[in-house]
Amino acid sequence: MKEKKIVVVEDEPDLVDVVTYNLKREGYLVSAARRGDEGLNLIRSELPDLVLLDLMLPGMDGLSICRQMKSDGALKAIPIIIASAKGEESDVVIGLEMGADDYLAKPFSPRELLARIKAVLRRGTPTDNASDDRIVVRDLIIDPGKHEVRIKDEVVSLTSTEFKLLHHLASSRGRAFSREQLLNRVVGMGVVVVDRNIDVHIRALRKKLGERSDMIQTIRGVGYRFVEK
């Protein structure tokens, strides 16, 4: 198996050093840039397997990099994990809507970073036991075989995280899932993450579903469920 390449775009020198050290120790090939414009050029030249992207950067901000990557045919399939400081949640939601796959709130531990990177890279790998059965609810079609969602025959562009959340909820229509259950399903068992991660992903997913957003219901004190409406 070839070594996975990761590009880190982050302007905090100490954080770059810590992240780079821990990723290299896990066997990843790592390149880093501390300016947004330099980071985008590095991504274009390296074509990495994943990008760890800060939002607040000199030269070009993280959302602009995300936007340019998702509009570039050569870069749009590269997974993005956003690293955000507290208070930037609105920008995180925008990034997820643009196509970022996940986010980490600063400060984060090396253990959490590695777990999230492994989870995102794993989501892009087909599994033999993946179901090819389509889920059809009125004009909403979820097709695991194509990894595609359509509403009224229009493709809805979802990140791998959003697709996995929607498919999991729709596969058990009417059943309520706690945030912890959904986190375990999307990220994996035994990973210490924050429940609000699911809230942010659900918010971005609902916005993309538009008039079908009410199919994902919030159950107060519990979590979420999918209903036919």
Side-chain angles (χ1 to χ4, degrees):
M1 182 183 295
K2 73 169 187 174
E3 293 174 301
K4 298 288 187 179
K5 293 192 293 184
I6 296 177
V7 165
V8 178
V9 189
E10 167 62 61
D11 66 339
E12 296 180 35
D14 291 343
L15 184 55
V16 171
D17 291 343
V18 170
V19 168
T20 299
Y21 170 78
N22 282 278
L23 291 180
K24 286 184 175 179
R25 193 174 64 173
E26 287 293 310
Y28 295 108
L29 300 174
V30 185
S31 300
R34 295 178 182 172
R35 289 178 53 88
D37 46 356
E38 294 172 357
L40 184 58
N41 289 334
L42 184 61
I43 293 165
R44 285 173 171 154
S45 64
E46 292 285 329
L47 295 177
D49 296 285
L50 183 141
V51 173
L52 179 64
L53 180 63
D54 188 19
L55 288 180
M56 301 299 292
L57 294 162
M60 176 185 292
D61 62 75
L63 290 180
S64 296
I65 294 174
C66 187
R67 185 181 296 110
Q68 292 208 32
M69 285 182 63
K70 295 307 173 182
S71 63
D72 186 325
L75 307 179
K76 65 181 181 181
I78 298 173
I80 299 171
I81 296 179
I82 291 173
S84 70
K86 186 176 179 181
E88 296 175 346
E89 185 173 296
S90 60
D91 285 339
V92 170
V93 173
I94 293 171
L96 294 173
E97 289 169 356
M98 288 179 182
D101 292 82
D102 204 351
Y103 82 100
L104 277 166
K106 295 179 180 178
F108 49 81
S109 69
R111 177 181 169 225
E112 182 180 357
L113 170 65
L114 292 168
R116 301 291 275 280
I117 286 175
K118 289 176 182 177
V120 169
L121 291 174
R122 188 168 58 244
R123 286 173 218 159
T125 304
T127 56
D128 294 335
N129 59 0
S131 171
D132 289 332
D133 295 333
R134 298 194 311 164
I135 297 172
V136 181
V137 183
R138 294 176 57 190
D139 54 9
L140 171 68
I141 300 173
I142 305 170
D143 190 334
K146 295 181 179 178
H147 207 272
E148 181 179 86
V149 172
R150 287 179 175 270
I151 297 177
K152 296 180 180 178
D153 288 330
E154 293 291 328
V155 174
V156 181
S157 179
L158 301 182
T159 67
S160 58
T161 302
E162 292 161 357
F163 183 91
K164 199 166 186 178
L165 271 174
L166 179 61
H167 183 261
H168 184 61
L169 288 167
S171 295
S172 301
R173 294 194 283 281
R175 177 183 171 187
F177 291 92
S178 69
R179 290 169 175 82
E180 183 180 1
Q181 288 173 320
L182 293 173
L183 282 167
N184 286 337
R185 175 63 180 172
V186 172
V187 178
M189 296 290 290
V191 180
V192 179
V193 291
V194 181
D195 285 356
R196 284 190 58 76
N197 281 26
I198 287 296
D199 295 336
V200 174
H201 284 300
I202 289 288
R203 191 180 312 165
L205 175 58
R206 280 174 168 160
K207 186 165 184 177
K208 291 181 181 180
L209 291 177
E211 60 187 43
R212 293 289 170 259
S213 62
D214 58 357
M215 287 182 168
I216 300 178
Q217 284 189 340
T218 301
I219 309 301
R220 186 180 297 275
V222 180
Y224 299 97
R225 71 179 176 187
F226 186 95
V227 295
E228 298 187 33
K229 284 208 169 191

